[in-house]
Amino acid sequence: MSERLTIAMPKGRIYEEAAELMQKAGYELGADLDESRKLILDFPEQNIRVMMAKPMDVVTYVEYGAADIGIAGKDVLLEQDRDVYEVLDLKISPCYVAVAGLPDQPLSRIAPKIATKYPKVASDYFREQGEQIEIIPLNGSIELAPLIGLADRIVDIVSSGRTLKENGLVEYEKIEDITSRLIVNPVSYRVKSTEIEEMVSKLSEVMEEVNA
Amino acid sequence: MAKRLMFEKPLGMRDTLPFFYNQKQKARQRLSDSILSYGYSFMDTPLMEYHETVGKVSATLDQQLFKLLDQQGHTLVLRPDMTAPIARVAASQLKQSEFPLRLAYGGPVFRAQQAEGGKPAQFEQVGTELIGDHSSYGDAEVIALLVESLQDAGLENFVITIGHIGFVKAFFSDVLGEDEETTETLLQYLYRKNYVGYREAVKTLPVSEDKKQALLQLLTLRGGEEIFGSSRSLARNQTCMQAVNELKQLFRLLKDYGVEQFVQFDLNLISHMDYYTGILFEGYAPNIGALLCNGGRYDALLPSFQLNASATGFAIHLERLVEALSEQADEDDRIGIIVDDDTYTNGIQKAKEWRLQGHSVLLQHRDQIPDVSAFKDQLSKTIDLTAEGGADDE
């Protein structure tokens, strides 16, 4: 009898793509799971249990071992620096982290302020550039900050660039490409290695087909 | 900062209440019985050490050290592990002793607080150090003893994953030559468990397709003894071959000890960036999300204390072990004797008799008990010597 795997799935935007990938790999989760209010769902015939989590929290569940496996954005992995195995690039929901701001606005020379929901990514990036900056942490609608003079620049996820454009902002530098990753708890990686290996190899096959 | 409320403790610090204390005590006792049975001697070192000495050479990252100043202005650290202090002792007070040394320890270590829960700043490690034996026999003894200790503590289900940092480094130097920067980058990816990053980095390297394939193949070197064959075909230089032979011999010896079913191999395992020098290992148990124990061979530590010796050892995270055991609470086997002014003398006598027979006995004046039946309920047995109690209560 193989051991049951608990998978933390991201609710919202990424869910559909992630579920489709899982389905191609032979794990039938159902596309409408996301709409249900249930947070934990059992699939006894496939020997898996699915937890529906906020994308930002998937990594936390996996690090603490509440879930064996999870699907999480690289942005969250960069920001939170958690002790998990990053085993597979699922190449879904591609976007990138970038620095943006009002056009032709030089950085303030005394204390440049950066508004972001990725304080670590932003400060790491500017430190590498040799700039000392101050972080203004925000949770959403980051684009507001430069418009109302709260910050010189923002560091945020860009997918199509439409939000930036509609608010009259321009992209200054790209920091890093982002896709969703398959992550594994370090203990589960060892004690449930057979089951995890099976899932990873099924998913990698799907990935190869997709990319072929 | 907000004023501290009276019940608060520093971040990451925990109290050990009687129930957990007993569980810990029991696990600690069982571990030390098995460690003693292998001829190891227990010792202890101070909680504080100089940052310049033990702090600098310990395997714990500098930002994780608790630092404080003594009255002369020296920076001190709360010991972050026991290996470095024991190396200090082995290289000084014990250097005239007969080597190999077999030393053991059990005590609290400190790692700087982290804001999140589940990451205590103080925890207890029980472990061993075998100093002055550089053979596979030493590695095997330490791993076998680790397995037996965990079993004796009552843990049935666990896995020890064994790697070899010497193999990985020799393999990289064979494929990448003197390119230390790339070697460092790839090692970092493995250390950070980021296999996606590792694969991406390999793809962009300016080396031949064959070499890229070899670098990617490294990621597949995990499993049972079957990996020795494939590691051999990847290993192209003498040092790699020697590392694979060491692993093979280790596995043979672990079979002799009869503990091979608890081990698996993973040549990507890098527990620490530059501490271990040969075979290294980590242990895990289901239901606890974090590392249970770890260890390995460290040959560079003792030389930094001016003793030229090779050493290997393990450390078990005691609180996590207790969590993994998740044993039921023992029955409270204390006996209570309830007395009043008239029966107190008689009570002392009775209590003495029971204590001589090895029981824990508490003697309690009836006037001080708010609720007699609740008092009786918490004990395995009570004897009421007072007039209200009437006959003995069994």
Side-chain angles (χ1 to χ4, degrees):
Chain A
M1 173 70 187
S2 66
E3 295 211 47
R4 184 177 66 181
L5 287 180
T6 302
I7 309 171
M9 293 288 280
K11 287 203 277 196
R13 192 170 56 91
I14 322 171
Y15 178 78
E16 236 168 90
E17 281 182 274
E20 196 189 317
L21 209 57
M22 292 294 285
Q23 188 193 353
K24 281 188 191 149
Y27 301 93
E28 200 69 53
L29 307 182
D32 51 354
L33 241 181
D34 197 23
E35 280 142 38
S36 132
R37 298 244 159 194
K38 279 186 112 170
L39 297 174
I40 296 182
L41 295 114
D42 280 307
F43 296 89
E45 65 288 350
Q46 304 176 67
N47 216 9
I48 52 177
R49 157 177 280 191
V50 173
M51 282 170 49
M52 300 298 289
K54 224 173 136 79
M56 275 280 196
D57 295 337
V58 166
V59 200
T60 312
Y61 288 114
V62 175
E63 186 191 35
Y64 283 93
D68 301 306
I69 288 195
I71 293 179
K74 181 67 184 172
D75 52 333
V76 186
L77 292 168
L78 285 171
E79 181 60 29
Q80 301 191 357
D81 196 20
R82 288 184 181 274
D83 187 23
V84 293
Y85 279 96
E86 188 180 329
V87 292
L88 209 56
D89 184 352
L90 299 174
K91 306 237 160 85
I92 52 176
S93 42
C95 55
Y96 56 97
V97 198
V99 182
L102 288 168
D104 307 318
Q105 281 269 310
L107 269 187
S108 147
R109 294 175 69 181
I110 302 157
K113 291 204 263 315
I114 313 292
T116 184
K117 48 176 178 185
Y118 301 100
K120 183 176 174 293
V121 174
S123 34
D124 286 354
Y125 174 75
F126 282 100
R127 192 176 301 119
E128 265 170 45
Q129 307 297 307
E131 293 270 6
Q132 183 158 10
I133 49 123
E134 292 176 4
I135 297 283
I136 313 257
L138 293 179
N139 286 310
S141 305
I142 318 290
E143 294 80 6
L144 261 175
L147 298 178
I148 55 168
L150 178 63
D152 301 54
R153 296 272 192 279
I154 61 169
V155 166
D156 203 13
I157 290 284
V158 181
S159 24
S160 65
R162 236 183 74 199
T163 321
L164 289 181
K165 210 180 232 170
E166 283 178 9
N167 289 292
L169 300 179
V170 293
E171 187 183 315
Y172 281 93
E173 296 107 25
K174 179 171 167 176
I175 299 182
E176 188 147 345
D177 281 312
I178 305 293
T179 47
S180 294
R181 311 291 159 96
L182 189 72
I183 56 170
V184 183
N185 170 271
V187 176
S188 309
Y189 190 69
R190 306 295 176 189
V191 298
K192 297 184 180 175
S193 58
T194 322
E195 294 79 10
I196 287 172
E197 204 50 55
E198 190 187 329
M199 185 176 283
V200 170
S201 74
K202 279 182 186 166
L203 279 165
S204 348
E205 272 170 39
V206 174
M207 296 307 303
E208 272 165 36
E209 280 166 30
V210 171
N211 292 325
Chain B
M1 205 194 277
K3 193 176 176 305
R4 297 281 140 238
L5 301 175
M6 284 310 287
F7 64 85
E8 289 182 294
K9 316 180 270 290
L11 196 64
M13 295 297 177
R14 291 177 180 176
D15 298 307
T16 308
L17 299 182
F19 165 65
F20 195 66
Y21 184 92
N22 291 339
Q23 303 295 89
K24 247 171 91 170
Q25 177 61 28
K26 217 160 55 180
R28 189 191 292 121
Q29 189 58 51
R30 291 179 188 159
L31 291 176
S32 45
D33 286 347
S34 5
I35 292 170
L36 286 169
S37 79
Y38 269 62
Y40 284 69
S41 310
F42 274 84
M43 61 168 289
D44 203 358
T45 65
L47 288 182
M48 279 181 232
E49 297 270 359
Y50 283 122
H51 179 248
E52 267 180 273
T53 60
V54 167
K56 281 261 166 64
V57 298
S58 100
T60 309
L61 298 174
D62 200 63
Q63 66 263 29
Q64 283 201 307
L65 296 176
F66 264 107
K67 294 181 197 121
L68 47 152
L69 295 176
D70 70 5
Q71 294 210 316
Q72 287 75 40
H74 301 119
T75 310
L76 307 180
V77 295
L78 292 182
R79 64 181 185 203
D81 58 58
M82 289 296 289
T83 305
I86 286 184
R88 173 179 59 68
V89 176
S92 51
Q93 289 112 299
L94 292 179
K95 81 174 165 211
Q96 307 298 344
S97 339
E98 216 43 61
F99 278 64
L101 288 173
R102 284 179 168 77
L103 298 171
Y105 57 85
V109 297
F110 302 84
R111 309 273 166 91
Q113 305 106 315
Q114 300 191 23
E116 272 178 47
K119 293 171 182 168
Q122 174 184 339
F123 54 92
E124 188 168 335
Q125 283 190 330
V126 176
T128 64
E129 309 294 347
L130 171 54
I131 299 169
D133 182 332
H134 63 264
S135 68
S136 298
Y137 299 98
D139 292 315
E141 173 178 317
V142 163
I143 295 173
L145 173 53
L146 171 62
V147 170
E148 283 182 32
S149 309
L150 292 173
Q151 282 181 306
D152 289 349
L155 194 65
E156 287 161 7
N157 201 352
F158 60 91
V159 177
I160 311 287
T161 302
I162 304 175
H164 196 307
I165 185 68
F167 175 87
V168 184
K169 287 189 170 162
F171 171 68
F172 281 159
S173 88
D174 184 59
V175 178
L176 300 165
E178 294 296 291
D179 187 351
E180 273 169 31
E181 209 186 311
T182 310
T183 305
E184 181 71 18
T185 313
L186 294 183
L187 283 172
Q188 271 289 347
Y189 279 124
L190 295 182
Y191 169 64
R192 305 182 69 87
K193 308 184 172 83
N194 183 352
Y195 296 153
V196 174
Y198 179 88
R199 283 190 217 105
E200 290 300 315
V202 167
K203 271 184 212 156
T204 58
L205 283 181
V207 296
S208 71
E209 216 31 60
D210 278 3
K211 286 188 170 176
K212 284 186 188 175
Q213 279 313 315
L215 288 168
L216 291 177
Q217 277 253 282
L218 178 67
L219 293 184
T220 63
L221 296 183
R222 4 188 243 115
E225 55 182 324
E226 73 280 356
I227 71 153
F228 298 144
S230 23
S231 351
R232 229 169 230 278
S233 58
L234 265 189
R236 287 179 286 195
N237 65 19
Q238 200 55 44
T239 325
C240 284
M241 290 298 252
Q242 199 189 322
V244 177
N245 287 339
E246 270 176 38
L247 285 169
K248 280 184 79 168
Q249 169 154 21
L250 173 67
F251 191 66
R252 204 162 47 232
L253 295 171
L254 291 175
K255 273 188 184 157
D256 288 344
Y257 274 106
V259 299
E260 76 277 11
Q261 68 275 26
F262 292 99
V263 305
Q264 50 176 236
F265 293 91
D266 182 345
L267 290 182
N268 306 300
L269 181 71
I270 296 185
S271 314
H272 191 274
M273 273 310 281
D274 38 38
Y275 187 73
Y276 294 111
T277 49
I279 279 166
L280 53 94
F281 49 87
E282 293 185 344
Y284 318 86
N287 305 326
I288 50 163
L291 200 63
L292 176 68
C293 53
N294 65 332
R297 181 163 289 284
Y298 51 95
D299 287 354
L301 181 63
L302 286 150
S304 59
F305 289 102
Q306 280 93 46
L307 177 74
N308 203 5
S310 172
T312 174
F314 69 75
I316 299 171
H317 196 309
L318 186 64
E319 284 87 352
R320 288 195 188 142
L321 173 63
V322 173
E323 215 181 302
L325 293 171
S326 65
E327 283 181 10
Q328 295 301 307
D330 285 334
E331 286 276 305
D332 194 327
D333 54 5
R334 291 177 304 166
I335 297 170
I337 301 179
I338 301 174
V339 287
D340 53 16
D341 293 348
D342 299 335
T343 53
Y344 203 83
T345 324
N346 185 12
I348 292 174
Q349 205 47 49
K350 269 247 154 49
K352 211 179 230 170
E353 286 163 21
W354 284 102
R355 285 176 188 139
L356 273 175
Q357 292 172 37
H359 297 286
S360 312
V361 186
L362 51 94
L363 187 62
Q364 180 60 58
H365 196 289
R366 191 172 182 114
D367 289 353
Q368 302 296 315
I369 306 176
D371 179 342
V372 175
S373 78
F375 177 82
K376 287 179 177 171
D377 281 348
Q378 61 162 350
L379 300 167
S380 67
K381 173 178 180 173
T382 43
I383 300 153
D384 197 340
L385 298 179
T386 64
E388 288 100 297
D392 280 5
D393 227 301
E394 298 284 327

